Amino acid sequence: MSTISEVAKEAGVSVATVSRVINQNASVTPETQKRVNAAIAKLNYHPNVWGRSLRRQESRVLLIFVPNITNPYYANIISGIEDTARRNHYNTMVCVTNVDKERAKEYFDLLRCGSADGAILLDTTKNDKSVPRLAKNFPVVQCCEYCTDENISHVSIDNLEAAKQVVQYLVSLGHRRIGFAGAVNDFISTEQRETGYKKALEEAGIEFDSRYVAYADEDYNFLSGIRAVKELLCLKDRPSAIFCISDMIALGAIRAAGEMDLRVPEDLTIVGFDDVAYATMFKPMLTTVSQPGYSLGKTSCNMLIKQMGGAAPNHMFLEHKIILRDSSAANAVE
Amino acid sequence: MSTISEVAKEAGVSVATVSRVINQNASVTPETQKRVNAAIAKLNYHPNVWGRSLRRQESRVLLIFVPNITNPYYANIISGIEDTARRNHYNTMVCVTNVDKERAKEYFDLLRCGSADGAILLDTTKNDKSVPRLAKNFPVVQCCEYCTDENISHVSIDNLEAAKQVVQYLVSLGHRRIGFAGAVNDFISTEQRETGYKKALEEAGIEFDSRYVAYADEDYNFLSGIRAVKELLCLKDRPSAIFCISDMIALGAIRAAGEMDLRVPEDLTIVGFDDVAYATMFKPMLTTVSQPGYSLGKTSCNMLIKQMGGAAPNHMFLEHKIILRDSSAANAVE
DNA sequence: GTGAAAGCGCTAACAC
DNA sequence: GTGTTAGCGCTTTCAC
C-alpha cells in the first residue's frame, strides 16, 4: 500500500501537487500531470480513504437498513439505492437489522462515529421513537415504511389507496364476503392496508365483519399465513375472496385453500401484495399489487443526497399498479 | 459531534487518558475513569472511526461479495458471516456485484483504499484471474464457489459427492433415464454437480446420454429452467427423473411438467439443490440438497479472521444433507 | 503552477 | 497513573 508522499517522491513533486492531480480541481501543468499519473500507476497507488475522510469530514458511505434480506421484495429497492448512490460517488452498506432494535441501535452508531454520512431506513415502525432522535442529528430518509413524525422524509406508495382499489376490484367481481389477512406488527403499511380495506367496504355499502379479519405473524411468514387464512376459511359463511397484505401470506392462502379442498379462483379469490418474483411461479399465478421497487430505492437515495446538501425533509408517494392474474375471478360461490 | 480533546477538557485530563479509558487497555484510576466516562456521556461522545483507523491502520470492516440478493439462498450465509463478524468487532459491507466484473473490480478498490480489511467472496468463478491477484495482497476467503487456484482459502460443501448421492438415490428408486438440468456459467459447483452426475451414472452402469442434459441460463432463473427442462421432456424417451442443480430450476421443472400434463412425482421425479424456503411452499414440495448456509458463512468468517491474524490459507468442506420430500418417487413410467 | 505546512481525531511510545 | 507529543494519509490555505 503506497502513500501519497511515496508517489510525490517518485514523481519528483510535492504531495500537494499529487493531491491536485488526484482531485482534478486545480491547475497543474499537463506535463507534471503526466509524471504524477505515471508514478501513481507504477506504484499502484490508491488514495487512502481514512486520511481523506478525516480531512474532508465525510465518509461518502450511505447506510441501508433492511429488516431482512430473505424477502425478495427488498432486492429491487436496494438495487435502486445502490445504483443511485454509486452514480453520486457514494458507497453503500446494507445493515440487516432482523427487526432487532438492539442491533439497529448498534448500526446507528455507524453514523455517530463517522462511518457513514446518512441512512435510508426500510424498517421504521409507526411509533418508533429512535428514528426521530436519529433524524435530528443525521440525514435520514425512510422508504416504504415510516413513522408518524412529520419532520422525517419518506418515500412510499399510497398503501391506503392501493388497498381500497383492491377491495373495489373484488366488489366489482361480485364478491361481498371479503376477508382480510393482515399481520401483527407496527408497520404503517399494515395499518393503512387494513384501513383501506375497511373504507372500501364502507363505500360499497358492505358492513364490516370482524370475523373476516385474521392476522399472520409479524414478518408475514408463510406458515402463519396458512394459519391465519384457515381461520377465515373455517367460518360457516366463509369469505369468497381474501385480500392478503403480502404475497407470502397469499401463497399461504393458496396452500390453505388447497388443504381444505377449495379451488383458487373458482371457490376462493386471493389477492396478494408486492408482486415478488414468486407470484408467477405458482399455479395459480397471483393477482397482486406491484410496487415500483427500483424507483422507490432510487427516489429515496436522491432525496437523501439532496437532504445532505441542505434540502428540507420531503414526502413522496409513487404509483402502484394492480396486476391481474389467475388467482382472482368473479364470485361464483352462491 | 464532539472530539476526544473536548472530552479531555471537560474531564480535566489529557487526551491520552481519555483514549486509555475508551480502550480499557491501561491503568487509569477508578476515579479518573469515572470523571472521563461522565464527560463522554455528557458530550454524547463517539470515537471517530477515521482517526482511529488512520492511526491503527485497520478499518475493522469486512466485505461480503454476493452476485445478487434475490436468491434467498444467500440470506443464511450472510447471517452467518455477519453474526460472526460482529462477535469479533468487525462491521460488514454487503457488495452486490450482479455478476458484473466491472462492478466487482470497483468494490475491490474498497480493499485497496483501506475501506475494508478483508473480503468473503460468494461469487468466484472457476477461472477467475482477478481473485488470485486480489488474494495476493489482501485477506480473502471464498465461500461456496471458488477458483482453481490452490492458494486461496475456501469453504464449501462437496458438490461432486452431493450430486453423486442424488443420482444414486434416483437409481435406487428404479430410475434409469435420469436427466440433468444444469446452467451455462463458470461456477465450479455447476461443473462439479455435472461431474458427480456422470460419475454416479457410470458407477451404476448407466450409459451417459448427452440428450438428457440441458442447461438453464447463467443465473438459474425460473423461466430458463422451464425452457431447459422442456427440452428434456420433449424427447421421445423422456427421462423419468431430473436432477436440477438449483431449486429455482427445479421449480421451473415442476411448471414445465405441469404444462406438459405430467404429474410430479407420478410421471416425473424432480430433485433440486439448495433447499430454499420456497422449496416447501409449492405442491409438490421439493426433494432437494440442503447446504448448511449459516455454518458456511460462519466458518468462512472465522477463517478470514484467522487469516488476517497470520494463518495460512485453508480449505474446508462442510456436510450437506439430502432432504426427501414429495417431488421424488419410485420409477413407474414403464 | 508548485511547495511548505497545518491540522482533521486518534493512539501509543516515551517521559515523568 | 498521567501528560506530552509524534504521526497515521490526506487536503487546502497561504506563500512564492
Side-chain angles (χ1 to χ4, degrees):
Chain A
M1 301 271 287
S2 45
T3 70
I4 197 172
S5 63
E6 288 168 19
V7 174
K9 194 193 279 183
E10 174 72 29
V13 296
S14 73
V15 293
T17 300
V18 176
S19 176
R20 288 183 187 110
V21 172
I22 296 166
N23 297 292
Q24 316 180 327
N25 54 5
S27 44
V28 181
T29 311
E31 197 222 339
T32 3
Q33 258 182 62
K34 207 170 282 175
R35 273 218 319 284
V36 170
N37 282 322
I40 288 176
K42 181 175 173 191
L43 298 178
N44 188 27
Y45 167 71
H46 290 259
N48 179 289
V49 83
W50 309 116
R52 174 176 285 176
S53 296
L54 189 55
R55 178 59 220 228
R56 287 206 184 139
Q57 297 289 67
E58 63 164 18
S59 64
R60 295 209 81 82
V61 170
L62 303 180
L63 264 30
I64 306 175
F65 282 74
V66 201
N68 67 72
I69 51 172
T70 314
N71 195 330
Y73 156 62
Y74 293 112
N76 280 334
I77 300 176
I78 293 175
S79 288
I81 296 173
E82 292 200 327
D83 289 351
T84 311
R86 287 162 45 82
R87 201 166 298 123
N88 290 279
H89 309 289
Y90 281 94
N91 282 309
T92 52
M93 202 156 164
V94 175
C95 304
V96 185
T97 59
N98 286 319
V99 204
D100 175 348
K101 294 273 175 217
E102 265 320 299
R103 185 170 281 209
K105 219 181 265 176
E106 281 187 45
Y107 281 131
F108 283 167
D109 283 344
L110 292 175
L111 287 168
R112 301 204 179 88
C113 75
S115 278
D117 297 337
I120 295 174
L121 312 180
L122 295 170
D123 63 346
T124 308
T125 50
K126 261 184 318 195
N127 302 310
D128 205 311
K129 291 294 165 224
S130 61
V131 171
R133 221 175 310 135
L134 189 75
K136 210 170 286 175
N137 297 307
F138 302 97
V140 161
V141 170
Q142 305 167 98
C143 183
C144 297
E145 301 297 341
Y146 52 100
C147 65
T148 44
D149 189 315
E150 279 288 317
N151 299 311
I152 315 173
S153 294
H154 91 260
V155 180
S156 75
I157 63 163
D158 185 339
N159 284 290
L160 194 151
E161 185 58 28
K164 266 181 67 172
Q165 288 171 5
V166 165
V167 175
Q168 285 163 356
Y169 160 69
L170 295 173
V171 170
S172 79
L173 287 176
H175 294 282
R176 305 284 297 176
R177 295 202 308 277
I178 300 172
F180 176 84
V184 181
N185 60 38
D186 291 324
F187 289 131
I188 202 159
S189 67
T190 301
E191 179 183 75
Q192 290 175 335
R193 289 171 198 174
E194 182 162 349
T195 307
Y197 160 76
K198 289 176 180 166
K199 277 230 167 111
L201 286 184
E202 188 184 329
E203 289 180 11
I206 301 174
E207 199 178 349
F208 170 71
D209 185 341
S210 66
R211 294 178 310 137
Y212 287 169
V213 173
Y215 297 97
D217 291 349
E218 179 176 45
D219 61 350
Y220 321 102
N221 73 70
F222 181 68
L223 289 176
S224 71
I226 298 180
R227 197 228 338 113
V229 169
K230 276 194 177 166
E231 288 176 25
L232 303 181
L233 297 181
C234 286
L235 293 172
K236 195 163 39 99
D237 292 332
R238 65 163 182 79
S240 63
I242 297 177
F243 168 38
C244 307
I245 65 163
S246 97
D247 283 346
M248 201 67 81
I249 298 177
L251 263 39
I254 292 180
R255 167 69 67 86
E259 291 182 5
M260 299 181 68
D261 284 325
L262 296 172
R263 293 163 304 163
V264 178
E266 293 84 349
D267 304 321
L268 179 69
T269 278
I270 290 170
V271 179
F273 211 112
D274 287 345
D275 194 28
V276 298
Y278 295 89
T280 61
M281 297 191 193
F282 277 79
K283 287 278 185 181
M285 296 196 280
L286 220 49
T287 291
T288 187
V289 180
S290 151
Q291 302 199 46
Y294 190 90
S295 294
L296 284 164
K298 180 177 159 180
T299 308
S300 303
C301 191
N302 280 325
M303 193 179 278
L304 181 62
I305 291 170
K306 266 190 206 141
Q307 213 167 297
M308 295 191 302
N314 195 1
H315 301 271
M316 280 187 71
F317 293 91
L318 305 188
E319 293 297 318
H320 60 267
K321 221 166 27 190
I322 298 184
I323 312 283
L324 304 183
R325 296 209 185 90
D326 317 330
S327 66
S328 56
N331 183 11
V333 170
E334 70 236 295
Chain B
M1 301 271 287
S2 45
T3 70
I4 196 171
S5 64
E6 288 168 18
V7 174
K9 195 194 278 182
E10 173 73 29
V13 296
S14 73
V15 292
T17 300
V18 177
S19 176
R20 287 183 189 111
V21 171
I22 297 167
N23 298 294
Q24 316 179 329
N25 53 5
S27 44
V28 181
T29 311
E31 197 224 336
T32 9
Q33 256 183 63
K34 208 171 279 179
R35 274 218 318 284
V36 170
N37 282 322
I40 288 176
K42 180 176 176 191
L43 298 178
N44 189 26
Y45 167 71
H46 290 259
N48 179 289
V49 83
W50 310 117
R52 173 177 287 176
S53 296
L54 188 54
R55 177 59 221 232
R56 287 207 184 140
Q57 297 288 69
E58 65 165 17
S59 64
R60 297 208 79 82
V61 169
L62 303 180
L63 265 30
I64 306 175
F65 282 73
V66 201
N68 67 72
I69 50 170
T70 313
N71 196 331
Y73 156 61
Y74 293 113
N76 279 335
I77 301 176
I78 292 175
S79 288
I81 296 173
E82 291 199 326
D83 289 350
T84 310
R86 287 162 44 82
R87 201 165 299 124
N88 290 277
H89 308 287
Y90 282 94
N91 281 308
T92 53
M93 202 156 166
V94 175
C95 303
V96 186
T97 60
N98 285 320
V99 204
D100 174 349
K101 295 271 176 219
E102 264 320 298
R103 184 169 283 209
K105 220 182 261 176
E106 283 186 45
Y107 280 131
F108 283 168
D109 283 344
L110 292 176
L111 287 167
R112 300 204 180 88
C113 74
S115 279
D117 297 337
I120 295 173
L121 312 180
L122 295 170
D123 63 345
T124 308
T125 50
K126 259 183 320 197
N127 302 310
D128 205 312
K129 291 294 165 223
S130 61
V131 171
R133 222 177 310 135
L134 188 76
K136 210 170 286 171
N137 297 305
F138 302 97
V140 161
V141 169
Q142 304 166 101
C143 182
C144 298
E145 301 296 341
Y146 51 99
C147 65
T148 45
D149 189 316
E150 280 289 316
N151 300 312
I152 315 175
S153 293
H154 92 259
V155 180
S156 75
I157 62 161
D158 186 339
N159 284 290
L160 194 150
E161 185 58 27
K164 266 181 69 172
Q165 288 171 5
V166 166
V167 176
Q168 285 163 354
Y169 161 68
L170 295 173
V171 170
S172 80
L173 287 176
H175 293 282
R176 306 285 296 176
R177 295 201 309 277
I178 299 171
F180 177 83
V184 181
N185 62 38
D186 291 325
F187 289 131
I188 203 160
S189 67
T190 301
E191 180 183 77
Q192 289 175 334
R193 289 172 200 175
E194 181 162 349
T195 308
Y197 161 77
K198 289 177 180 166
K199 277 234 169 108
L201 286 186
E202 190 185 328
E203 290 181 10
I206 300 174
E207 199 177 350
F208 170 72
D209 185 341
S210 65
R211 295 177 311 137
Y212 286 168
V213 173
Y215 298 96
D217 291 348
E218 179 175 43
D219 61 350
Y220 321 100
N221 72 70
F222 181 68
L223 290 175
S224 71
I226 298 179
R227 196 227 340 108
V229 170
K230 275 193 177 165
E231 288 176 24
L232 302 180
L233 297 181
C234 286
L235 293 172
K236 196 163 38 95
D237 292 332
R238 67 163 181 78
S240 63
I242 299 178
F243 169 39
C244 307
I245 65 162
S246 97
D247 283 345
M248 201 68 81
I249 298 177
L251 261 39
I254 292 179
R255 167 68 67 86
E259 290 182 6
M260 300 181 70
D261 284 325
L262 296 172
R263 294 162 303 163
V264 178
E266 294 82 352
D267 304 321
L268 178 68
T269 278
I270 291 172
V271 178
F273 212 110
D274 286 345
D275 195 28
V276 297
Y278 294 89
T280 61
M281 297 193 195
F282 278 78
K283 288 278 185 176
M285 296 197 279
L286 221 49
T287 291
T288 186
V289 180
S290 151
Q291 302 198 44
Y294 190 89
S295 295
L296 284 165
K298 181 178 160 180
T299 309
S300 303
C301 191
N302 280 326
M303 194 180 277
L304 181 62
I305 291 171
K306 265 190 207 143
Q307 213 168 298
M308 295 191 302
N314 194 0
H315 300 271
M316 279 186 72
F317 293 91
L318 305 189
E319 293 297 320
H320 60 268
K321 217 163 35 187
I322 298 186
I323 313 282
L324 304 183
R325 297 209 185 89
D326 317 328
S327 67
S328 56
N331 184 13
V333 171
E334 72 236 299

